[in-house]
Amino acid sequence: MMKIVVLTKNYGKDVTGATLATHTFIHLWAEYPEVAEIVVLAQHLFTFEKHPKIHIIQYTSHFKIPALIRQYKAADTIFYSDDHYGGFLADAGVKYVHTYHGNWPDARWLNIEYFLKSFYFIPKYAKTIKFADKVVNVSNYMKKFTDRYNKNSITIRNGVDNSKIEIVHKNKNFIPNKCLMLGNVDSRKYGMLPQLIDGLRDSNIVINIDVYGRIVNKKIVRKLKKYKEVTLHGFVPFSEIDLSQYAFLLSTSTKENLPISIVEILKSKLPVLAFAVGGIPEVIDDTSGRLLDAKNMQKNAEIIRQIIEQRIKFTFDNAIFSEFDWNLSSEKYLNIFKTLMS
């Protein structure tokens, strides 16, 4: 029997990305008979599911983390981290697994704000990665970064909730020039959208874009509101979005690891058009979408024209989709935990 202690900053299921993945894995690990208990040490709590094996400890400041780690340090315990707070585990000298969900070092070059933040976050992550007993990456692309600090690293994909995924084009009721975008509205994900829309206007292409995501950068929001092509909906859970009305998903993010949302859309048999950044080229090929060129808006406009005019057909038969399975991935994690405990 083993105990798993999860050190994280945010915990909940109503948050995208790494936080959602951690919540999902914790509940899957709790179902294994060899797991006696899971303790979650979290600073910020969102909506989360309760489970008799899962105990939540909320700390008010990261300065309290060392004492909490000492409290749960034991021979039958394995620790897990999903963000830069993992460095506290390194200081404590405990066995731990770290999953790297981050966008560093690429995000350093987004703007001056991210450049300055990089001097804090990159060393924190480097320390967390360096002293981990095992490093897990969600994309092969970011494995190249973690390998700089720790060669004991592998790639395990995040999963998707197959119960929410439907084949959305059976009835052909989608609107050819209507697309959706997902993700927090900030400069990283939407900073290039105005430039892309300007390119579409220059090519006389009419498009309607629905944006689903929390407002993070009000300056970007003000800019997007000037475009009649864009409708901002705020955050809406993926399960509540009617995918059947859309012809494709558009991503203008310039720095990424590998978003779960893109894989969910692809497994929903909705094509994705995205810039070729991070791990995105690992899941998008000609059978499921197109990779856009951030430096050639005219070329992008022509691709979007072909999509709108339905001159491109997609089969969605990329074998890589089978890797994105929560149960399969959770078992891989558990095998790592057991190996480290033996």
Side-chain angles (χ1 to χ4, degrees), residues 30 77 103 149 158 210 227 257 298 327:
T77 301
N103 297 301
Y149 304 99
N158 285 327
D210 284 348
Y227 288 87
N257 193 326
Q298 184 177 359
N327 291 307

Side-chain angles (χ1 to χ4, degrees), residues 107-286:
R108 166 179 282 179
W109 311 112
L110 277 171
N111 52 44
I112 187 63
E113 177 187 357
Y114 277 86
F115 181 77
L116 294 174
K117 284 182 176 180
S118 71
F119 290 99
Y120 174 81
F121 283 106
I122 291 179
K124 293 288 186 182
Y125 275 112
K127 178 180 179 180
T128 299
I129 293 165
K130 180 179 180 180
F131 294 100
D133 292 271
K134 196 76 169 184
V135 178
V136 177
N137 304 276
V138 297
S139 71
N140 293 328
Y141 175 83
M142 279 302 176
K143 187 176 183 298
K144 299 174 185 176
F145 169 64
T146 62
D147 279 349
R148 299 180 194 175
Y149 304 99
N150 191 332
K151 296 296 183 181
N152 193 16
S153 68
I154 61 172
T155 297
I156 298 178
R157 306 294 189 180
N158 285 327
V160 296
D161 187 348
N162 292 313
S163 66
K164 298 178 181 178
I165 292 174
E166 301 173 352
I167 299 176
V168 299
H169 287 275
K170 281 184 176 179
N171 53 17
K172 303 295 183 183
N173 286 333
F174 64 93
I175 302 170
N177 71 336
K178 190 170 186 177
C179 74
L180 79 157
M181 300 184 70
L182 301 172
N184 291 340
V185 184
D186 56 24
S187 59
R188 177 170 65 90
K189 288 185 176 291
Y190 295 91
M192 292 290 289
L193 181 57
Q195 189 176 339
L196 178 61
I197 296 175
D198 289 340
L200 294 172
R201 286 179 173 182
D202 291 341
S203 299
N204 297 314
I205 297 173
V206 178
I207 192 171
N208 295 311
I209 303 171
D210 284 348
V211 173
Y212 298 91
R214 290 185 176 87
I215 305 302
V216 175
N217 188 315
K218 293 182 179 180
K219 182 178 179 180
I220 294 294
V221 169
R222 288 194 295 270
K223 185 178 292 187
L224 292 179
K225 283 184 176 180
K226 296 178 182 179
Y227 288 87
K228 62 181 181 181
E229 293 90 343
V230 177
T231 302
L232 298 168
H233 293 275
F235 174 77
V236 177
F238 178 73
S239 59
E240 297 178 14
I241 300 174
D242 178 14
L243 298 181
S244 65
Q245 63 185 306
Y246 299 106
F248 59 94
L249 177 134
L250 176 65
S251 172
T252 55
S253 181
T254 53
K255 307 293 179 186
E256 283 292 353
N257 193 326
L258 182 52
I260 294 175
S261 59
I262 284 183
V263 181
E264 286 178 326
I265 291 297
L266 290 171
K267 292 193 76 170
S268 300
K269 297 191 181 298
L270 195 66
V272 174
L273 309 183
F275 291 142
V277 297
I280 290 176
E282 296 172 28
V283 295
I284 296 178
D285 59 15
D286 287 349

Side-chain angles (χ1 to χ4, degrees), residues 21-139:
T22 298
H23 180 276
T24 304
F25 279 128
I26 286 172
H27 279 264
L28 289 170
W29 297 335
E31 296 303 319
Y32 286 92
E34 54 263 66
V35 176
E37 180 186 16
I38 300 177
V39 177
V40 180
L41 309 177
Q43 186 171 8
H44 305 293
L45 298 180
F46 298 86
T47 304
F48 60 87
E49 294 178 358
K50 295 183 179 180
H51 190 285
K53 282 189 181 181
I54 301 172
H55 305 286
I56 314 297
I57 307 295
Q58 186 177 17
Y59 54 88
T60 55
S61 167
H62 66 266
F63 294 110
K64 297 182 180 296
I65 293 175
L68 287 171
I69 296 173
R70 289 194 298 271
Q71 178 181 341
Y72 290 101
K73 186 176 180 179
D76 64 344
T77 301
I78 187 76
F79 287 78
Y80 174 82
S81 75
D82 64 357
D83 59 33
H84 64 284
Y85 280 3
F88 288 104
L89 300 176
D91 291 336
V94 298
K95 287 186 177 181
Y96 70 96
V97 176
H98 174 73
T99 298
Y100 186 64
H101 297 274
N103 297 301
W104 307 105
D106 295 11
R108 166 179 282 179
W109 311 112
L110 277 171
N111 52 44
I112 187 63
E113 177 187 357
Y114 277 86
F115 181 77
L116 294 174
K117 284 182 176 180
S118 71
F119 290 99
Y120 174 81
F121 283 106
I122 291 179
K124 293 288 186 182
Y125 275 112
K127 178 180 179 180
T128 299
I129 293 165
K130 180 179 180 180
F131 294 100
D133 292 271
K134 196 76 169 184
V135 178
V136 177
N137 304 276
V138 297
S139 71

